[in-house]
Every structure is written in structure tokens, then in C-alpha cells.
Amino acid sequence: MSKTDASAPDRVLADAPTTVASSRLLWLLGPALVAGVAYLDPGNVASNMTAGARYGYLLVWVVVAGNVMAWLIQYLSAKLGIVTGASLPEILGVRMKRPTARRLYWIQAELVAMATDLAEIIGGAVALNLLFNLPLIWGGVITGTISMVVLMVHSRRGPRIFERVIIALMLIITVGFTAGVFFAHPEAGGVLAGMVPRFEGSNSVLLAASILGATIMPHAIYAHSSLTRDRFPEWQGIVATRRLLWATKWDVTIAMAIAGTVNLAILLLAASALQGVDGTDTLQGAYVALRDTLGPAIATTFAIGLLASGLASTSVGAYAGAEIMHGLLQVRIPLLLRRLVTLIPALFILGVGFDPTQALVLSQVVLSFGIPFALIPLVWLTAQRGLLGTFTNRWFTTAAGVVCALALVALNVVLLVLVFTGA
């Protein structure tokens, strides 16, 4: 890099710790927005739509709490990648000395990645069915094929162009999923009441776990550290790490604000327009109900958002899965080959006629079980002074991370008890 090029980033954040002095801060934004797409995948739509249609505003607090926890978790992941220059899977792969432990850890992480991919392919297939009346199996094939094209952008053009493609899809997702709420007129009193933590039966606990599994995505935790590792190596020695971390806080804040707003809008839309309407426990039924109550324009906008969600999130999910395998097993296979292999379970589910919405919700529950395996090591590693030096977590940051981990693990234990006791 020339001296002229090197001086530009320095000017970008010259006064970064105290003020956003330049629009050139935008140069450093992107990784969190890409990782944030994981919080807007079709699983989120299914979980939040089902929660709103069945329980109204009851689980608003779960969406809000999940998004607050997600901010901290994604920032810690980004910080780990920036400070160490390595991803979370890479660090774990080095620290796990026993090959058996490393492989077992990879298996659970791979199952989580497969559950993620299942939700995303199914979401894209359902969207194409709603928009063009395509059979679900062909919708899944088309969604997978387009995602391969997006991944080719990453392989051939690099992370910056890949970011732009994903961010463009995120804009479509945001419009598609929030447009309806402006016409549904949610009740302010109901929203406020929904901020009080409570459940109503075991099914609401199941949906809460599903929402958290969709909100705090294990593969997003793994991926964010990889994205920052790949995005900022050329900034080494140019921009102080502390200033880069400051910019990352803005990146994560913007991404989580978008994700939280969209997820809340989905739940509020279902609670205000679909509660008590028959058939809204499926994405197809929700589409029909939106068309009948708010008009075909809103329903079509929703379906377009669902399609963009499937395309963007499945591309990011495939990237995350490849990074997990490489970091833990030191095996790297081409992204496109991995994309082909991971398509098989989703296409099988679509081919046998399993209810797609139920598959989406259950996939999010699987994701919620994978959260502790990603979150606990993340909090522990970012608290290690020998690894992060002066950028080690402060005590209250580590305490907040521990509280998040304990809360998520406790909810999953309760869910397991409910499932195995038949409650």
C-alpha cells in the first residue's frame, strides 16, 4: 500500500474515540451487517410470525432481550477477530489438543450450520412458491443455485463486493418485513405489556427458545470473527486497534438496530393483524392472511423480503460453515462444493413434503442448543489477557457475557425438560 493510501484510513478515524467526524467512517462498516443477516433469516420470520399469531404481544420481551444480548455477543466476536487476527474456530482448533474433542466439537457446530441452512433454503423455496407458484423442491434448487452465484462473488471478487451484495439484500429484507406494520397499527399498550417477562405454557417456552435460536445464531458468532479477520488485515499498523474497535461498535450497533427493528416488526405485524386468524401458523397461511387483511401489495412485499432473506442468509451460512470446518479441522473445501453438499438435507425435507414452517421453527430450536458451545468459549477467550492483552474484556463485560450465557443455557435446560417429560 502506498503512503498516500496508508494516510487515508488514518484520517478516517483521527478523532474516532470522541466524534463521528467523517462520513469516511463508512469505509470500516460492513462485517457486522453481513453477520447481521443471520438475524434476519427465514427462521426468524417463522418464529416471530408464529409467536405473534399465537400469543399476540406476549413474547415481545424475548425479541428485545435477544437483540440486546446479540449486540454484546457480536461485538465480542468481532473484537476477537480484530485483535488476534484469527477466527473463533481457528483459536479453538489450536487450543483443543485432543483430536477427538476437536472433531466432536466440529460435529455439533456442523449440525448447527446444517440446521441454519435448512431454514434458509426452505424460506427461499416458500417465497418462490408464494410469488410464482413454483413447487417447493424447485424453489429450493433455485435458491441454492442463486446462493452459489453469491458465493462466487466472495471467492472471485473478495469480501468487499460480497458485503455490498449482502447489504443490498438486507435493504430488501428490511422493506419487505417492515412495510406491513405501518398498516397493521399495533396497540401501544399491548407492546408495553409484552415487555414484561413471562410465559403462558410450554409452547410459549418452545417459541421463546426458537426466537432466541433465530436471534442469537451460533454460526453468526463463528462467522463474525472470520469476517473481521478477512476484512481488516490491510489496516494493520495503519489504524490503531482501539480506534478500529470503536468503529466496530458502530458497525454492530447499526446491524443490530436493523435486525432488532425488523424482528420486532414481524412479531408486531402478526400480533396486530394475524392473531386468531386460522392458518397463520404456516408461512403460506400468513401470506394469505396478510393478503386478505392488508392487501396483495403488502403480502407480495412480504414474500419478496422472505426470498431476499433466504438468499442472503444461506450465502452467509455457507461461508460460516466453511470457516468452522477450516478452523477446527484444518480442512478447507471450496465454498461451492460445500454449498452443493449442504443443499441435500434441505432438498430432502422439501421433497418428502414435511411441513416447511414446522421445519423452520424446529431448526431454530436446534440452533438454540448450539448457542452455549459458541458463546461460552467466546466469553472465556475474550477475558484472557494472555490472548487479547490490553483489549481483554473489562470485568463488567465478562459478567454481562456470563449472564447471557447462563440465561440461554437455563432456557434450553427448561425446554429439554418440557420436551422429554411431554409437557
Side-chain angles (χ1 to χ4, degrees):
M1 181 180 292
S2 68
K3 291 183 179 180
T4 301
D5 294 334
S7 64
D10 237 357
R11 291 195 301 271
V12 172
L13 293 180
D15 299 315
T18 58
T19 180
V20 184
S22 172
S23 62
R24 292 183 179 181
L25 173 65
L26 293 174
W27 292 357
L28 301 181
L29 304 182
L33 292 170
V34 174
V37 164
Y39 296 83
L40 299 173
D41 80 335
N44 290 81
V45 182
S47 298
N48 291 318
M49 190 69 74
T50 303
R54 288 185 184 177
Y55 295 100
Y57 304 102
L58 176 71
L59 298 179
V60 165
W61 68 274
V62 178
V63 176
V64 174
N67 203 66
V68 171
M69 289 189 286
W71 186 97
L72 173 62
I73 293 166
Q74 292 307 133
Y75 173 69
L76 292 180
S77 178
K79 181 172 77 168
L80 185 68
I82 290 171
V83 176
T84 66
S87 67
L88 176 59
E90 286 174 330
I91 295 172
L92 291 175
V94 171
R95 295 199 167 212
M96 290 183 179
K97 302 301 183 182
R98 296 183 178 180
T100 301
R102 194 163 58 247
R103 293 190 187 101
L104 289 175
Y105 188 93
W106 169 75
I107 288 173
Q108 66 80 26
E110 193 68 41
L111 290 174
V112 166
M114 291 175 65
T116 302
D117 205 48
L118 173 66
E120 292 154 355
I121 294 296
I122 288 177
V126 170
L128 288 170
N129 174 262
L130 296 175
L131 290 169
F132 305 109
N133 201 31
L134 284 175
L136 290 176
I137 184 67
W138 286 111
V141 171
I142 292 172
T143 301
T145 301
I146 297 177
S147 72
M148 291 177 68
V149 175
V150 176
L151 289 170
M152 286 176 63
V153 171
H154 185 280
S155 300
R156 298 185 179 182
R157 301 295 298 276
R160 291 299 298 272
I161 304 301
F162 179 70
E163 281 178 13
R164 293 171 185 172
V165 173
I166 297 300
I167 291 171
L169 289 171
M170 175 182 273
L171 293 175
I172 298 173
I173 295 167
T174 302
V175 174
F177 290 155
T178 59
V181 79
F182 293 101
F183 299 90
H185 306 298
E187 299 175 4
V191 176
L192 291 175
M195 291 294 294
V196 179
R198 66 192 190 282
F199 296 107
E200 290 182 2
S202 58
N203 282 335
S204 66
V205 177
L206 175 65
L207 275 175
S210 180
I211 290 171
L212 288 176
T215 302
I216 304 173
M217 305 282 277
H219 81 282
I221 300 174
Y222 297 122
H224 203 165
S225 58
S226 302
L227 289 165
T228 53
R229 176 206 63 196
D230 294 342
R231 177 71 150 73
F232 296 123
E234 70 272 21
W235 301 79
Q236 297 294 329
I238 299 174
V239 179
T241 300
R242 191 176 303 280
R243 293 176 177 176
L244 188 55
L245 290 174
W246 177 89
T248 297
K249 289 181 180 179
W250 278 95
D251 194 20
V252 175
T253 298
I254 293 170
M256 293 300 100
I258 294 172
T261 299
V262 174
N263 283 320
L264 188 58
I266 295 170
L267 189 147
L268 296 182
L269 174 63
S272 55
L274 305 182
Q275 189 176 9
V277 178
D278 292 336
T280 53
D281 54 345
T282 68
L283 288 175
Q284 295 92 330
Y287 170 85
V288 172
L290 287 174
R291 184 188 62 195
D292 293 342
T293 56
L294 300 178
I298 293 299
T300 300
T301 303
F302 171 81
I304 292 173
L306 182 62
L307 177 59
S309 171
L311 294 175
S313 54
T314 192
S315 301
V316 175
Y319 168 85
E323 289 299 323
I324 291 169
M325 175 179 286
H326 172 67
L328 292 171
L329 302 184
Q330 295 299 309
V331 174
R332 187 179 289 281
I333 62 175
L335 271 175
L336 298 184
L337 176 60
R338 180 181 176 84
R339 167 75 285 170
L340 285 172
V341 172
T342 54
L343 268 177
I344 295 173
L347 294 180
F348 175 78
I349 292 292
L350 293 173
V352 299
F354 190 84
D355 177 53
T357 302
Q358 186 67 16
L360 285 172
V361 174
L362 291 177
S363 72
Q364 304 312 297
V365 176
V366 173
L367 295 182
S368 72
F369 292 135
I371 291 171
F373 293 99
L375 179 53
I376 293 174
L378 176 68
V379 175
W380 179 70
L381 288 171
T382 53
Q384 300 298 307
R385 183 164 296 276
L387 183 64
L388 268 68
T390 59
F391 301 104
T392 304
N393 293 344
R394 297 181 181 182
W395 70 267
F396 51 83
T397 303
T398 299
V402 170
V403 170
C404 290
L406 290 176
L408 292 168
V409 171
L411 182 59
N412 288 333
V413 169
V414 170
L415 181 59
L416 280 173
V417 172
L418 293 173
V419 170
F420 286 110
T421 60

